[in-house]
Amino acid sequence: MPYGFLACLALSLLLAVFAYHRPETGLIALLAFLHIVRGKMPKGCFLLLVLCPAGWYAFFSLQHAALLPDAHEETRLSIPLRFLDYPEYDGDLMRAEVKTETGEKWLLRYRFKNRDEKKRWQDVLGPGSVCRISGVKKTPGEPKNDNLFNYRLHLASQRIFFLFDAEAMSAGSCGHGRKTFPEWLKGIRKKGMETVKGHFSERAAPLVNALLFGDQGELDERTAGSYRKLGISHLLAISGLHVTILAGLFYFCLLRIGMVRERVRNLLLVLLPCYALLAGGSPSVVRAVMMAWTVLFLSRWRGQIHPMDSLGLSLILFLLANPFAVYHAGFQLSYLVTAGLLLSKGIILREEGFLRQNFAVSAVAFLVSLPAVLYHFYQVSLLSLWMNLLFVPLYTAALIPLSLFSLLLLLVLPGAGSLFAGLFSRLVEWTNATAEFFADRDRFVLVLGRPEGFVLICYFLSAVLFFGLLEKRGDWKGMAFCLLFPVFVHLFAVKYSFVGEVTMIDVGQGDSILIRLPLQKAVYLIDTGGVLHFPKEEWAERKNAYDPGEYIVVPYLKSKGIGTIDKLILTHGDADHIGSARTILEELRVKEVVVGKTANRKPMEKELMEAARRKGVKVTEAFQGTGWEKGGIPFYVLFPKPLAESGNDSSIVLFARIGGKNWLFTGDLGTEGENRLLTDYPKLKADVLKVGHHGSETSSSERFLKAIGAKTALISAGENNRYGHPHQVVLDRLRKRRMAIYRTDVQGAITYRFFLGKGYFRTWKGDRGKTAFDQAP
């Protein structure tokens, strides 16, 4: 087989998938790829390669059409379901992967009604359990804001296309079928993880289970977040490094006890797929095992296949089995880094000395993974390269082999194993503490935002040119240009865009509005969204309670290249407006917090003001008549009056002229507040109105709407919210005045993009759900 053909075939597959999502940039990448390989392989192979992208494209298109169901499909069922693994329990919520009689894989969710019910099901359910369950089958939700995590595609990458919300489960309807071999292995995995939990410290056990069994569910959020910030989270996921170390130790030990190489090789061919199941079967594990298995299998005919072809073959088989795996961040990073290291082998090996070679490995991994890291996480730590240099040898030489040794010792000599596990826990805790220490140095984290289409191509082509020049020992100026050019393109395309925006972020039932001026001269955030959490019994408390700030607002801002907020404006003290403010203060740099100068503040507002002051953030009390100007845009505070009683009708009301339009942001202002506002400002006019109190019938009176004369209404409300917002009477008033209505509950995030005094509205879901009176002016 021609050298590199399988690798080129795999690359043509990836570029065809890229073209499926980004036709213009994907076509450019495909043409560039075909130009590069032209003349470098036999004519027949090249002609086959030319035809392949079209075939891959058709295959991927058909898979999408056939497997991704209608986004609004919802059906009530009562059917038998087989549990594929042990369920995950988080407070009163249970999640489990189940399979139907027709072979479909679903994600089951169930909320326990009491502690006894939870305990009863924990004792019953496991791999192979079959229960008749009643509930609602539905499709997973999609993001309602630009750039955010797509839960639907994430589940599709695991071949799960439906959720099943269980309503009634009866232990009497459950039985245990004959366990399959994979289910039997999952039982062994469960026992191994419980052994680790029983003998390692509370902080060390989750990391050991992540290293040996691929389970990151129990990792402390601060620890996992620290590894992500430093760009070393790949060490927590089982990858080629782990498989190579564990297979190498196994190979060495069997040779030392006298087993011949051929028998060891055959034994590994059997055990590697088993380990993939024991380690959780994540994309990085499967990729590493498939590649190792291919290399081992073909080692009998040494020299007949190149490692890059082995990597390409594993990618092709992987995507033929599950095309949606391409959306998984772990899949992308795993293949990118492995390919980069294989292609840069000559550059790495010509370095002399252990430290220099390790630095070269870390540098290659950092550069080739940078586009994918920025695409999924929007930021990069400037310490990443050095942290890899520190942590990779530590994990390679100590943590991974010692984790395996400690588990084996616990199984063979429990007493000695417990003692060793206690000592090893200290090393793991020290490692975690070191990662957290460096991750807390926020000044080293560079938020660039998500690179799209053309910017991604710039990154990849620049990386290819850089390594080409480095391999030929080219000039340093050219290499520096290759490194800096895509970064500058990225900065001006995303972070310092010439286009400004006003975005009503969809945070569910709450408010959060971003104002970003062109070239990021200023960033203002009006409210943060939030959820009011009611106290639960200890058994029902979730490990990580849902927070719109953590899951929506912070990722959205970072995806736009925003790491600093100039003013965080908190209109009033309700949880649905400021409940996520603490998360914003912790995750982003906030220069100033603006609150209304009111009396008898709510406890949450007082706590946030105190938290901001402790972090050294300036706290400003705004009131009627104050304001500021930035970038030629004036902002006026129209409400509240000084020391007014705290509440909805004392919300901060902000007026500004942005992008050629007059904007009125009203918080939760009700009819009474609107009347007082008109009394103080009888000539008040606006083009765009942020409708008060989520469209409640106690706001947006006929008198108020007539007086301000707005042509566009923005309503922030949660989909199917319990309050019935926006109320029909308010919608009727808006339509009566022929106003363009934009609603987050129907259309997702709403953005007004502007440049040089002109702009336009666009919504995340397009025009779906809009009536004739809802069209933008």
Side-chain angles (χ1 to χ4, degrees):
M1 189 171 290
Y3 171 85
F5 179 75
L6 283 173
C8 288
L9 196 63
L11 184 57
S12 73
L13 166 57
L14 286 179
L15 292 175
V17 170
F18 187 36
Y20 175 85
H21 295 287
R22 301 280 174 182
E24 313 85 5
T25 50
L27 181 60
I28 294 170
L30 281 169
L31 292 174
F33 160 70
L34 292 173
H35 176 73
I36 291 169
V37 300
R38 184 181 180 185
K40 295 188 177 180
M41 58 179 55
K43 185 177 180 181
C45 292
F46 177 73
L47 289 175
L48 179 61
L49 206 60
V50 170
L51 297 175
C52 279
W56 293 134
Y57 186 92
F59 168 75
F60 202 76
S61 303
L62 290 171
Q63 290 291 303
H64 262 262
L67 296 177
L68 274 184
D70 179 13
H72 296 284
E73 186 173 330
E74 193 168 304
T75 312
R76 192 170 298 277
L77 299 169
S78 177
I79 58 172
L81 296 170
R82 184 185 184 95
F83 286 74
L84 300 178
D85 204 339
Y86 291 94
E88 295 178 5
Y89 300 94
D90 184 11
D92 61 352
L93 179 66
M94 177 183 77
R95 297 185 189 89
E97 291 185 9
V98 294
K99 184 174 281 190
T100 67
E101 292 178 315
T102 58
E104 286 185 272
K105 190 160 73 166
W106 297 352
L107 180 66
L108 179 143
R109 303 183 299 193
Y110 181 68
R111 284 180 172 79
F112 298 109
K113 300 172 182 63
N114 53 60
R115 185 201 303 266
D116 292 339
E117 184 188 26
K118 179 179 178 179
K119 180 68 170 63
R120 185 166 63 251
W121 282 110
Q122 284 178 315
D123 295 337
V124 169
L125 297 177
S129 299
V130 180
C131 304
R132 177 169 287 277
I133 304 173
S134 300
V136 178
K137 170 191 171 187
K138 58 179 67 173
T139 51
E142 294 183 307
K144 295 185 175 182
N145 299 275
D146 292 352
N147 301 332
L148 295 195
F149 178 71
N150 193 318
Y151 188 53
R152 189 181 186 202
L153 288 180
H154 172 73
L155 290 180
S157 72
Q158 303 168 54
R159 295 197 72 83
I160 298 174
F161 302 104
F162 289 101
L163 301 175
F164 190 72
D165 287 336
E167 297 174 339
M169 294 174 59
S170 170
S173 70
C174 290
H176 290 276
R178 185 176 180 181
K179 285 188 177 180
T180 63
F181 181 68
E183 290 170 347
W184 179 74
L185 284 178
K186 286 172 182 177
I188 294 177
R189 179 175 185 255
K190 177 76 169 178
K191 290 178 182 177
M193 290 168 59
E194 288 175 347
T195 301
V196 169
K197 286 182 184 178
H199 293 85
F200 287 83
S201 70
E202 187 176 349
R203 289 209 67 197
L207 188 137
V208 175
N209 275 330
L211 294 179
L212 294 180
F213 299 105
D215 177 58
Q216 298 186 35
E218 297 294 325
L219 277 172
D220 177 72
E221 183 55 35
R222 190 185 174 204
T223 301
S226 298
Y227 277 76
R228 283 195 299 270
K229 267 189 178 181
L230 295 175
I232 54 174
S233 59
H234 59 91
L235 294 173
L236 303 177
I238 294 178
S239 61
L241 174 67
H242 302 68
V243 172
T244 301
I245 292 171
L246 297 178
L249 287 172
F250 185 80
Y251 191 83
F252 175 77
C253 291
L254 291 183
L255 286 179
R256 295 291 293 175
I257 64 174
M259 191 175 289
V260 297
R261 292 179 185 273
E262 183 67 17
R263 187 167 294 177
V264 173
R265 185 183 68 83
N266 292 336
L267 189 58
L268 278 173
L269 288 175
V270 174
L271 293 179
L272 279 173
C274 297
Y275 179 68
L277 292 171
L278 284 172
S282 69
S284 58
V285 175
V286 175
R287 192 274 310 159
V289 166
M290 284 180 68
M291 187 175 174
W293 196 94
T294 304
V295 171
L296 271 174
F297 180 75
L298 296 172
S299 62
R300 175 179 303 184
W301 304 281
R302 190 176 301 278
Q304 295 299 306
I305 187 167
H306 190 270
M308 276 301 296
D309 282 330
S310 175
L311 182 69
L313 179 61
S314 72
L315 185 144
I316 292 168
L317 294 175
F318 203 139
L319 291 185
L320 286 176
N322 181 14
F324 295 94
V326 75
Y327 295 112
H328 198 286
F331 173 91
Q332 296 172 15
L333 289 168
S334 178
Y335 274 96
L336 265 177
V337 172
T338 304
L341 292 175
L342 288 174
L343 291 171
S344 305
K345 181 180 177 182
I347 297 172
I348 295 169
L349 293 179
R350 79 185 182 196
E351 299 295 329
E352 297 180 359
F354 175 79
L355 285 177
R356 289 172 66 92
Q357 282 195 357
N358 270 279
F359 179 81
V361 168
S362 297
V364 169
F366 174 79
L367 289 174
V368 298
S369 65
L370 182 60
V373 167
L374 289 173
Y375 186 84
H376 290 286
F377 307 113
Y378 324 126
Q379 63 185 24
V380 63
S381 173
L382 299 179
L383 294 175
S384 178
L385 181 59
W386 311 104
M387 291 299 99
N388 274 281
L389 197 58
L390 171 65
F391 280 88
V392 170
L394 176 63
Y395 271 74
T396 304
L399 291 183
I400 296 175
L402 289 178
S403 294
L404 178 62
F405 175 75
S406 60
L407 179 60
L408 293 175
L409 197 60
L410 282 168
L411 297 175
V412 178
L413 299 170
S418 295
L419 179 62
F420 184 83
L423 296 173
F424 182 53
S425 293
R426 297 289 183 88
L427 175 61
V428 174
E429 290 169 8
W430 175 85
T431 303
N432 289 343
T434 302
E436 290 165 9
F437 171 80
F438 284 110
D440 288 340
R441 313 278 82 79
D442 288 341
R443 67 179 67 92
F444 294 107
V445 176
L446 185 61
V447 179
L448 292 176
R450 168 172 281 187
E452 296 285 356
F454 176 72
V455 181
L456 281 173
I457 286 185
C458 286
Y459 271 111
F460 284 116
L461 290 182
S462 296
V464 171
L465 291 173
F466 171 81
F467 286 114
L469 290 172
L470 184 62
E471 193 169 22
K472 296 177 182 178
R473 300 182 186 272
D475 66 295
W476 288 101
K477 290 182 181 179
M479 286 188 281
F481 175 80
C482 290
L483 290 178
L484 296 176
F485 174 71
V487 176
F488 279 113
V489 172
H490 188 177
L491 285 173
F492 287 105
V494 181
K495 191 175 181 70
Y496 298 111
S497 172
F498 290 93
V499 178
E501 70 172 282
V502 180
T503 297
M504 179 175 278
I505 304 170
D506 186 348
V507 290
Q509 185 61 21
D511 267 17
S512 186
I513 300 170
L514 167 68
I515 301 174
R516 179 169 73 159
L517 303 188
L519 293 174
Q520 206 150 286
K521 291 179 181 177
V523 174
Y524 307 130
L525 186 68
I526 304 175
D527 291 331
T528 65
V531 176
L532 184 61
H533 294 289
F534 297 98
K536 293 183 177 181
E537 295 182 48
E538 185 178 352
W539 71 270
E541 286 286 350
R542 305 272 176 86
K543 182 181 177 183
N544 293 307
Y546 175 72
D547 178 5
E550 179 182 355
Y551 292 101
I552 298 175
V553 181
V554 169
Y556 180 82
L557 295 181
K558 287 187 175 181
S559 77
K560 299 290 183 178
I562 297 171
T564 300
I565 297 174
D566 294 284
K567 291 182 188 291
L568 175 58
I569 302 163
L570 306 177
T571 59
H572 62 295
D574 287 356
D576 60 334
H577 287 254
I578 67 170
S580 296
R582 189 178 290 272
T583 301
I584 305 299
L585 288 169
E586 291 172 355
E587 295 293 328
L588 299 168
R589 183 184 173 219
V590 178
K591 293 183 178 179
E592 181 182 3
V593 171
V594 179
V595 296
K597 190 172 185 178
T598 56
N600 300 320
R601 300 181 191 280
K602 293 185 178 181
M604 183 180 291
E605 196 173 5
K606 292 178 181 177
E607 291 170 8
L608 286 170
M609 292 170 66
E610 185 57 35
R613 290 188 178 110
R614 283 198 302 268
K615 289 181 69 69
V617 178
K618 179 183 177 183
V619 178
T620 300
E621 294 183 295
F623 53 90
Q624 188 178 71
T626 59
W628 68 92
E629 182 178 332
K630 189 70 176 181
I633 298 176
F635 292 84
Y636 303 102
V637 178
L638 307 186
F639 248 44
K641 291 187 175 182
L643 300 179
E645 190 72 19
S646 179
N648 287 351
D649 282 321
S650 295
S651 298
I652 290 179
V653 176
L654 197 64
F655 178 89
R657 182 164 182 80
I658 306 171
K661 293 181 181 291
N662 292 327
W663 295 70
L664 188 63
F665 303 96
T666 59
D668 267 359
L669 201 66
T671 302
E672 184 181 338
E674 292 170 352
N675 290 335
R676 293 205 305 264
L677 186 64
L678 291 179
T679 300
D680 293 343
Y681 301 94
K683 296 183 178 180
L684 180 63
K685 297 292 181 183
D687 299 306
V688 183
L689 170 67
K690 201 295 291 187
V691 173
H693 205 194
H694 320 289
S696 166
E697 60 186 345
T698 60
S699 66
S700 306
S701 66
E702 288 276 10
R703 178 186 174 221
F704 182 69
L705 295 175
K706 181 179 179 180
I708 65 171
K711 299 298 182 185
T712 303
L714 308 180
I715 302 175
S716 181
E719 188 174 5
N720 301 320
N721 65 85
R722 69 176 74 177
Y723 309 103
H725 294 160
H727 286 150
Q728 189 61 46
V729 65
V730 174
L731 294 174
D732 290 342
R733 289 175 197 157
L734 299 175
R735 291 190 176 108
K736 181 180 177 182
R737 304 198 61 79
R738 302 190 66 83
M739 295 175 68
I741 304 170
Y742 293 96
R743 300 167 47 179
T744 58
D745 62 323
V746 175
Q747 296 153 293
I750 300 153
T751 298
Y752 179 75
R753 294 172 62 83
F754 62 93
F755 176 68
L756 296 178
K758 301 258 183 207
Y760 63 93
F761 282 96
R762 71 176 181 88
T763 64
W764 174 237
K765 292 186 178 181
D767 292 337
R768 186 169 62 191
K770 296 170 71 177
T771 70
F773 292 105
D774 296 332
Q775 300 306 314

